[in-house]
Amino acid sequence: MAEEKPSPAYDKGKFPDEDESESESEASDVNTSDEEDSSWISWFCTLKGNEFLCEVDEDYIQDDFNLSGLSSQVAYYEYALDLILDVESPNDEMMTEEQHEMVESSAEMLYGLIHSRYILTSRGMNAVLEKYKNVHYGRCPRAYCCGQPCLPVGTSDIPRTSTVKTYCPKCCDIYYTRNKYQGNIDGAYFGTSFPHLFLMTFSYLKPPKPTQVYTPRIFGFRIHNGGGGSSNSVRQQITQGQDSQRREEEPSGRQPADSRR
């Protein structure tokens, strides 16, 4: 009598239940519908590297007063604005693929310039406040700042001049971002004034200045300034050099009347 072979074990992964397959298809349909329903602004702010950016309210963008002067700075301005606001343009089908790419690039720049204005408003600052509380902008890499949360800042208000940096309210210095993708954001999308106005608005968030300063030593002996001084001395030297440069660049005043004679 032939021995009966045991039936193969049921592999749930190999043979999924009908309920599971249906639930997976439903989940994929929900994800697809969510992607279709999401606005351009929400999509753009969730892109990798754009986590620093806040979602600007559409009613703010629709107010022409808030966009004053931007049409002369951005190419394909009208098309870029329509893209940001999810408005279908009748001329989209007539545009070439290269023109579509230029419109997308212009939309990115236009949104960034609008963003730099929006975060100076009360609603914009509150949006940044939530990110700041959740340490979305990273912490100060300086050891004696003890992990102080940072704020985004630009070193220029002119687009495509420099990338965004992080400003530490404790040591009042700026640093490169830890994330290389976030470091590619244009610094003009935040501007040079933002972190200082933010700390003036929320003055209770301003931390005390650090009391500790690193002192270089060799075998316990403090090094003379000539061999590499402390960060404070270096900062003082830089400040003194900038002051002397300003004095040299300042035009000399009028000569006294006696000297003209």
Side-chain angles (χ1 to χ4, degrees):
M1 184 176 179
E3 296 182 359
E4 293 183 0
K5 294 183 180 180
S7 58
Y10 176 65
D11 189 348
K12 192 172 184 179
K14 189 174 181 181
F15 303 101
D17 293 339
E18 291 182 1
D19 294 340
E20 280 192 356
S21 59
E22 288 178 3
S23 61
E24 287 177 0
S25 61
E26 288 176 1
S28 62
D29 292 340
V30 170
N31 292 335
T32 305
S33 62
D34 288 343
E35 290 177 359
E36 291 176 353
D37 293 340
S38 64
S39 64
W40 183 93
I41 296 174
S42 299
W43 167 81
F44 182 71
C45 291
T46 54
L47 290 178
K48 192 172 185 179
N50 287 355
E51 296 85 359
F52 277 17
L53 297 173
C54 300
E55 292 192 19
V56 180
D57 295 337
E58 288 192 5
D59 56 350
Y60 179 87
I61 301 176
Q62 290 170 352
D63 189 341
D64 293 336
F65 178 78
N66 298 325
L67 311 184
S68 177
L70 295 182
S71 59
S72 60
Q73 300 183 47
V74 180
Y76 294 97
Y77 173 81
E78 295 294 341
Y79 293 100
L81 186 59
D82 287 344
L83 180 60
I84 292 173
L85 296 174
D86 297 309
V87 176
E88 293 185 3
S89 177
N91 299 324
D92 281 349
E93 297 179 357
M94 300 173 59
M95 298 176 66
T96 63
E97 184 177 349
E98 184 179 356
Q99 288 175 325
H100 275 292
E101 291 178 357
M102 294 179 68
V103 169
E104 290 175 1
S105 177
S106 296
E108 177 183 347
M109 182 177 176
L110 177 58
Y111 183 81
L113 295 177
I114 295 171
H115 180 271
S116 66
R117 298 182 178 187
Y118 177 73
I119 59 176
L120 298 180
T121 66
S122 58
R123 284 185 296 176
M125 285 198 176
N126 282 317
V128 175
L129 178 62
E130 291 301 316
K131 288 180 173 289
Y132 178 73
K133 288 179 177 178
N134 294 318
V135 200
H136 282 189
Y137 304 114
R139 299 183 183 274
C140 180
R142 186 175 179 272
Y144 288 132
C145 285
C146 305
Q148 168 66 39
C150 292
L151 287 164
V153 66
T155 55
S156 174
D157 293 315
I158 302 173
R160 297 174 181 173
T161 302
S162 61
T163 56
V164 67
K165 307 297 185 295
T166 54
Y167 170 79
C168 173
K170 200 174 185 73
C171 65
C172 299
D173 214 338
I174 62 173
Y175 302 90
Y176 286 103
T177 60
R178 295 287 186 91
N179 189 307
K180 64 178 182 180
Y181 297 103
Q182 294 170 345
N184 292 329
I185 302 176
D186 198 317
Y189 296 171
F190 296 91
T192 57
S193 304
F194 169 71
H196 317 297
L197 289 173
F198 179 86
L199 293 171
M200 288 176 65
T201 304
F202 304 105
S203 56
Y204 66 93
L205 293 175
K206 195 167 185 179
K209 299 297 179 186
T211 55
Q212 292 177 290
V213 177
Y214 174 71
T215 303
R217 297 177 184 273
I218 296 179
F219 301 121
F221 295 97
R222 185 174 178 176
I223 302 174
H224 187 266
N225 288 344
S230 64
S231 58
N232 274 357
S233 63
V234 172
R235 184 175 292 179
Q236 289 172 2
Q237 292 172 11
I238 294 173
T239 305
Q240 291 172 359
Q242 291 174 343
D243 291 341
S244 61
Q245 184 177 0
R246 288 195 200 99
R247 286 194 294 268
E248 291 175 0
E249 292 176 353
E250 286 179 356
S252 57
R254 293 183 178 180
Q255 295 181 353
D258 294 339
S259 63
R260 290 200 299 269
R261 291 175 187 173

